[in-house]
């Protein structure tokens, strides 16, 4: 097997002061990357802040012979994020990899959730990732190379009680990934998403202890390395946890053509099982594929060549 090397690469990892982000930063550095260790240093709910967590990880990397610098920018502050990217450019001349890992939780059932908490979680996860992507994007275009890893979640992909805010933000990251991968393709920029299952302070108390013990953050790192490497795919959603790896897909069924008659609502209700039948479902290459598929069925139903 060919070793996944990151020699000569410069990586930014957000939320890297602890948990999964720390493991990402350590692994990239151990394989040769120069790493910007970003962490606001706040609590799980986003309150507070200190650069000491990021500095501790930098010290670990340097003690092991690697290169790293600390950064305490909040990802929701675009000016601070832009300064972070400039810090990397001034230090090492380029940015090759961005791992959007920063996040917070403010869990409550939707009925009890304050909308300020909804907005803050969306701001950190979605706008934070967007800010970081925007800040590195011109540099990656100029060098015609880039690897961006979004951190999505099974909550975003499939839902989870008490996490409407978190789930909305995490699936939105997938939508951003899909478009950025299309737009970045001609510049050699690959954009992917990672859905981790790991025992960190964000999952403390959410699962039985024996399950948490099996879900070590280190077990997720291989998926990140694959998605951030020269050989990475693009527009791929990898799931990882406890040493297991899967792929998730946003698919579309073949569906049925019903036309535009007055009784189409009743026909659709009767044929909903056929519409949702997953046999021969597809993974559309882009958003326009839905319209193309629907138009082709309409043309076929009209008997046109």
């Amino acid at each position: 097997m060919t070793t996944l090397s990151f020699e000569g690469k410069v990586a930014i990892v957000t939320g890297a002061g602890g948990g999964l982000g720390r493991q990402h930063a350590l692994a990239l550095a151990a394989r040769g990357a120069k790493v910007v260790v970003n962490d606001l240093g706040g609590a799980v709910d986003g309150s507070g802040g200190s650069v000491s967590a990021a500095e501790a990880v930098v010290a670990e990397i340097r003690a092991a012979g690697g290169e790293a610098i600390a950064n305490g920018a909040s990802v929701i502050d675009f000016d601070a994020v832009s300064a972070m990217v400039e810090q990397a450019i001034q230090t090492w001349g380029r940015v090759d990899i961005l791992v959007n890992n920063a996040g917070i939780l403010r869990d409550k059932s939707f009925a009890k959730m304050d909308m300020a908490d909804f907005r803050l979680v969306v701001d950190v996860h979605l706008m934070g990732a967007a800010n970081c992507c925007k800040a590195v994007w011109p540099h990656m275009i100029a060098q015609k190379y880039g690897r961006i890893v979004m951190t999505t979640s099974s909550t975003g992909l499939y839902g989870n009680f008490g996490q409407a805010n978190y789930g909305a933000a995490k699936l939105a990251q997938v939508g951003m990934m899909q478009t950025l991968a299309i737009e970045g393709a001609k510049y050699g920029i690959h954009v992917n998403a990672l859905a981790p299952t790991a025992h960190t302070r964000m999952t403390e108390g959410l699962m039985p202890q024996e399950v948490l013990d099996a879900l070590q953050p280190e077990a997720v790192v291989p998926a990140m390395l694959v998605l951030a490497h020269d050989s990475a795919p693009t527009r791929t959603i990898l799931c990882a946890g406890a040493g297991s790896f899967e792929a998730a897909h946003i698919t579309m069924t073949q569906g049925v053509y019903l036309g535009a008659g007055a009784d189409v609502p009743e026909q659709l209700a009767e044929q909903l099982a056929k519409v949702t039948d997953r046999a021969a479902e597809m993974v559309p290459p882009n958003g326009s594929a839905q319209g193309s598929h629907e138009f082709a069925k309409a043309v076929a139903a009209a008997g046109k060549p």
Side-chain angles (χ1 to χ4, degrees):
M1 290 184 292
T2 303
T3 300
L4 296 184
S5 173
F6 291 84
E7 290 290 339
K9 296 292 190 289
V10 176
I12 295 173
V13 183
T14 67
L20 194 53
R22 171 177 169 271
Q23 295 298 330
H24 289 335
L26 293 174
L28 286 164
R31 289 171 177 264
K34 302 172 179 65
V35 183
V36 177
V37 179
N38 163 265
D39 202 285
L40 178 63
V44 174
D45 66 359
S47 60
S50 169
V51 76
S52 60
E55 289 174 338
V57 177
V58 167
E60 283 188 78
I61 290 171
R62 290 177 176 171
E67 292 186 56
I69 54 177
N71 180 276
S74 166
V75 293
I76 63 175
D77 182 340
F78 181 69
D79 290 340
V81 167
S82 297
M84 172 180 68
V85 173
E86 187 59 29
Q87 180 187 13
I89 298 292
Q90 290 297 320
T91 305
W92 295 307
R94 58 189 294 121
V95 174
D96 301 287
I97 298 163
L98 168 64
V99 181
N100 283 311
N101 174 77
I104 65 171
L105 288 177
R106 292 200 174 185
D107 293 354
K108 280 186 180 178
S109 68
F110 192 63
K112 298 178 180 178
M113 185 177 292
D114 187 284
M115 291 310 292
D117 287 341
F118 194 104
R119 181 178 294 277
L120 181 60
V121 169
V122 171
D123 280 348
V124 172
H125 288 275
L126 177 58
M127 292 309 301
N131 286 338
C132 292
C133 288
K134 183 68 173 178
V136 302
W137 200 252
H139 300 286
M140 290 182 172
I141 286 178
Q143 67 197 21
K144 296 191 182 306
Y145 181 92
R147 296 292 183 267
I148 296 176
V149 181
M150 305 289 193
T151 303
T152 185
S153 169
S154 57
T155 296
L157 296 169
Y158 312 114
N160 203 26
F161 186 91
Q163 294 190 310
N165 49 4
Y166 180 73
K170 286 305 191 183
L171 189 55
Q173 281 203 29
V174 173
M176 182 162 59
M177 175 270 284
Q178 300 276 19
T179 293
L180 292 186
I182 292 170
E183 294 183 3
K186 65 180 178 181
Y187 302 109
I189 303 172
H190 293 196
V191 189
N192 296 287
L194 171 62
T197 308
H199 180 189
T200 68
R201 63 178 185 161
M202 288 182 66
T203 58
E204 193 71 48
L206 297 181
M207 306 175 193
Q209 190 59 46
E210 60 270 24
V211 175
L212 292 175
D213 289 344
L215 297 173
Q216 295 304 308
E218 296 90 333
V220 172
V221 171
M224 180 279 298
L225 292 174
V226 167
L227 296 178
H229 192 254
D230 281 345
S231 59
T234 195
R235 292 188 70 194
T236 296
I237 307 169
L238 282 187
C239 308
S244 181
F245 305 92
E246 305 82 29
H249 300 282
I250 308 296
T251 66
M252 184 172 71
T253 68
Q254 290 296 318
V256 299
Y257 175 78
L258 297 175
D263 63 345
V264 167
E266 288 74 23
Q267 291 186 54
L268 178 57
E270 287 184 356
Q271 298 192 51
L272 196 57
K274 186 174 182 180
V275 171
T276 60
D277 183 358
R278 298 186 64 177
E281 68 182 359
M282 68 192 87
V283 179
N286 52 54
S288 64
Q290 176 184 332
S292 298
H293 179 69
E294 291 165 344
F295 179 71
K297 287 193 292 182
V299 169
K304 296 178 181 180

